[in-house]
Amino acid sequence: MIIEFLMYLFGIAILFTIGLQLKKFWKRLKQRIDYLKTIEHLVENSKDIIYYCEVKPEFKYRYISPAIETLLSPTLIEDSMKNPRRAFEIIHPDDYHILVKKEAGELDFSKPIIQRWRNDDGEYICFEEYATPIYKDGKMVALQGIIRNINDKVILQQQLEYRATHDSLTDLHNREHFETQVGIFDKAEDVPIAIVICDVDELKYVNDTYGHKVGDQLIKETAILLKEFATDDVIVARIGGDEFAIILVQTNPQYVEWMLDEIQLKIDVFNHNEGALFEIELSKGYAFSHSSIGKMDELFVKADNEMYKDKNNKRTHLLIG
């Protein structure tokens, strides 16, 4: 009887112990489930795109977070699951090679991956991606990562860079950019080159007679006229109040003189407009060299001197006239 009682107590103790262990287990399980639900909520509601993609044995997505549909296309998750190569169809052409290298595991995954993707409106949005490769037997078999929209940041940076290199009144390159380019061609890039210096005549007279707003308009109209000649190899800048400079790269004297004649033709057309408060008059000078290395300061001085010769010749003709 005593033995049976003791066995009964022993059984109760075991059940009690098992009950405690089960209680602890269910508590830990509930905590784990709550934790996973929290992670799922964070992932599903994140503004960043989170993904998991298998690379081998075949390329396919296992997960893409909903943010991608907000940022690019409302059907992109379904489309990508059906067609994993969809990403290659909406990547910017200049960034296509990035996807190819990423899939092949040939990128430096310790650095952010910058790429542009096209949304349903046909606009390209800039993203920054941090990808983590997953390896098996020494081979990359999957990628997981976070992709963040940095379009506003990139646009702001571009605007700041633009403002740093452009004149606020005329929207031409400013003196700082001009001097930077002069330094590059003087020390690093050896090319046939010319510098043209243009100075607006009678700006002080226009300012004194009609006011500085009209004077500013004279500067703007001159800038608009000169900007028509800007190309990748023709850099037009405003380097002073009434002074403009043009750098012509990979050029020759014949082209420079042709361009100066064309500038004068456009000035003549402008000046034939009736009712204008002012006419555009430019004094111009240029200098050319077959080699730019070590010659840029000399070219600038020579072009400036030629411009003043042109200005003085005009004054002489006026006095004689």
Side-chain angles (χ1 to χ4, degrees):
M1 194 71 180
I2 294 174
I3 292 174
E4 291 177 355
F5 179 72
L6 289 173
M7 289 181 66
Y8 173 76
L9 290 177
F10 182 69
I12 293 295
I14 290 175
L15 289 173
F16 181 74
T17 302
I18 292 173
L20 287 176
Q21 292 299 322
L22 284 173
K23 185 177 181 181
K24 290 179 180 178
F25 171 77
W26 285 114
K27 182 178 180 181
R28 288 198 298 270
L29 181 60
K30 185 177 182 304
Q31 289 175 340
R32 183 66 176 172
I33 291 172
D34 290 342
Y35 172 74
L36 291 174
K37 285 182 178 179
T38 301
I39 296 299
E40 181 184 14
H41 178 78
L42 290 172
V43 170
E44 292 287 298
N45 291 279
S46 172
K47 292 182 179 180
D48 297 332
I49 301 167
I50 301 169
Y51 73 91
Y52 183 93
C53 175
E54 289 184 357
V55 177
K56 293 182 178 2
E58 63 176 314
F59 188 86
K60 60 182 177 181
Y61 289 96
R62 288 297 186 184
Y63 177 78
I64 308 174
S65 67
I68 197 169
E69 296 191 334
T70 303
L71 293 167
L72 294 173
S73 171
T75 62
L76 194 52
I77 293 177
E78 182 181 355
D79 293 345
S80 298
M81 292 299 180
K82 291 179 180 178
N83 173 23
R85 314 305 295 184
R86 182 77 177 107
F88 290 83
E89 297 172 3
I90 61 172
I91 192 76
H92 192 286
D94 293 342
D95 298 338
Y96 187 89
H97 69 285
I98 296 175
L99 271 188
V100 175
K101 288 186 176 181
K102 184 168 69 171
E103 182 183 359
E106 297 174 354
L107 291 179
D108 182 353
F109 291 105
S110 66
K111 297 179 180 178
I113 304 166
I114 307 300
Q115 56 210 300
R116 290 159 291 178
W117 303 84
R118 188 181 69 247
N119 63 18
D120 279 354
D121 295 326
E123 301 169 336
Y124 283 99
I125 300 174
C126 193
F127 293 91
E128 181 181 70
E129 175 182 356
Y130 288 88
T132 302
I134 298 171
Y135 296 94
K136 184 178 181 181
D137 299 328
K139 296 181 179 180
M140 190 182 79
V141 296
L143 280 167
Q144 60 186 14
I146 299 175
I147 304 175
R148 174 164 294 177
N149 178 5
I150 60 167
N151 207 55
D152 290 344
K153 176 183 175 182
V154 170
I155 291 173
L156 177 60
Q157 183 177 346
Q158 290 172 343
Q159 289 174 342
L160 292 174
E161 290 174 356
Y162 187 88
R163 291 173 187 170
T165 59
H166 286 75
D167 175 60
S168 59
L169 178 65
T170 63
D171 206 32
L172 293 176
H173 288 296
N174 58 20
R175 188 178 189 97
E176 287 77 13
H177 182 77
F178 171 79
E179 291 179 348
T180 297
Q181 297 302 308
V182 165
I184 290 172
F185 294 116
D186 192 62
K187 296 179 173 59
E189 293 187 29
D190 194 15
V191 293
I193 201 161
I195 292 180
V196 175
I197 302 296
C198 303
D199 191 85
V200 180
D201 298 333
E202 305 301 334
L203 177 63
K204 185 177 184 304
Y205 170 79
V206 172
N207 284 332
D208 292 344
T209 306
Y210 303 106
H212 285 274
K213 284 188 177 181
V214 177
D216 285 347
Q217 192 59 38
L218 170 58
I219 295 295
K220 289 179 183 179
E221 293 293 344
T222 305
I224 291 170
L225 188 150
L226 294 177
K227 195 173 185 179
E228 292 185 36
F229 297 89
T231 67
D232 290 342
D233 288 332
V234 179
I235 303 163
V236 183
R238 182 190 181 203
I239 60 173
D242 56 0
E243 195 170 22
F244 298 86
I246 305 172
I247 301 174
L248 294 93
V249 184
Q250 298 288 2
T251 192
N252 56 67
Q254 292 76 21
Y255 182 82
V256 179
E257 292 186 9
W258 172 85
M259 190 188 74
L260 291 176
D261 288 341
E262 289 296 306
I263 289 173
Q264 189 58 52
L265 284 174
K266 289 187 178 294
I267 290 173
D268 293 341
V269 170
F270 179 89
N271 291 343
H272 277 89
N273 292 333
E274 295 183 4
L277 288 176
F278 54 79
E279 293 186 348
I280 296 175
E281 295 293 341
L282 277 183
S283 295
K284 304 177 288 291
Y286 84 91
F288 168 81
S289 173
H290 291 285
S291 172
S292 62
I293 296 291
K295 300 286 184 65
M296 297 304 289
D297 288 344
E298 178 186 333
L299 288 175
F300 183 89
V301 171
K302 185 177 179 181
D304 200 45
N305 289 337
E306 291 297 317
M307 181 274 294
Y308 276 109
K309 284 183 183 178
D310 185 35
K311 190 179 287 287
N312 290 331
N313 286 337
K314 290 177 183 177
R315 288 171 179 168
T316 302
H317 290 149
L318 285 172
L319 290 173
I320 293 174

